[in-house]
């Protein structure tokens, strides 16, 4: 069937769609590289006003386990659907660990778009240090359903209730999808910049 790539992409869009860490792969610009200029961090509450210990580039890959996502709700809207799910993403590279994500996905068939926002927590190491737990409730992805073209950003940082004495990281990432596994899980590459506050034994949630 000629429309299978689109339907394949849309099926995941409407059942276990992208957290801030994945691009819908089928029909997308596969093989694209992560954006050259990392997304600027949001001016959100909880971002540090302290000078970082160091700032450094990061990159790596992600696997989004669509096949094990839990769909909590799906409601019709005037022009599409709204879904809420729990998703797990595996990160490798300079960020090495797992992301637990609660995305809210708004699919607008009339506009041919998908907008994905929500909250997520990363647990793992950053550039070999940690483990740390980093929070993000500002990610946003926009997907063109017909082509799979996606623009998105991820901003990981310290949890708002974390003690000031802890060391932590802030990471601003751009993500570009690279396709799907044979099982249907999403693949992506990420690139961006991290800032470290504190060192070694200071690292924590």
């Amino acid at each position: 069937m000629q429309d299978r790539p689109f339907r394949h992409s849309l099926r995941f869009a409407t059942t276990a769609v992208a957290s801030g860490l994945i691009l819908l792969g089928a029909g997308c610009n596969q093989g694209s590289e992560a954006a050259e200029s990392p997304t600027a961090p949001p001016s959100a509450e909880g971002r540090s006003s302290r000078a970082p210990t160091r700032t450094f580039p990061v990159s790596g890959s992600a696997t989004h386990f669509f096949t094990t996502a839990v769909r909590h709700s799906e409601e019709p809207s005037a022009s599409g659907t709204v879904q809420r799910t729990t998703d797990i993403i595996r990160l490798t590279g300079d960020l090495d660990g797992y992301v637990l994500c609660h995305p809210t996905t708004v699919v607008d068939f009339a506009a041919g778009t998908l907008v994905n926002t929500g909250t997520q927590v990363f647990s793992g190491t950053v550039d070999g240090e940690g483990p740390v737990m980093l929070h993000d409730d500002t990610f946003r992805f926009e997907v063109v359903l017909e082509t799979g073209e996606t623009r998105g950003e991820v901003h990981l940082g310290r949890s708002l209730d974390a003690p000031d004495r802890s060391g932590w990281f802030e990471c601003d990432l751009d993500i570009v999808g690279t396709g799907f596994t044979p099982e249907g899980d999403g693949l992506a590459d990420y690139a961006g910049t991290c800032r470290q506050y504190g060192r070694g034994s200071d690292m924590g949630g």
Side-chain angles (χ1 to χ4, degrees), residues 156-179:
L156 296 168
R158 182 182 58 165
S159 175
L160 294 182
D161 60 358
D164 286 342
R165 65 179 179 273
S166 296
W168 74 96
F169 292 90
E170 293 174 354
C171 296
D172 301 304
L173 308 175
D174 292 302
I175 293 89
V176 174
T178 57

Side-chain angles (χ1 to χ4, degrees), residues 116-151:
N116 195 29
T117 59
T119 186
Q120 58 188 356
V121 176
F122 166 76
S123 177
T125 59
V126 180
D127 197 32
E129 296 209 40
V132 296
M133 294 189 71
L134 304 177
H135 178 256
D136 175 19
D137 61 3
T138 62
F139 72 78
R140 179 182 176 90
F141 271 61
E142 298 182 4
V143 180
V144 179
L145 294 177
E146 184 176 0
T147 64
E149 179 183 0
T150 299
R151 295 290 183 265

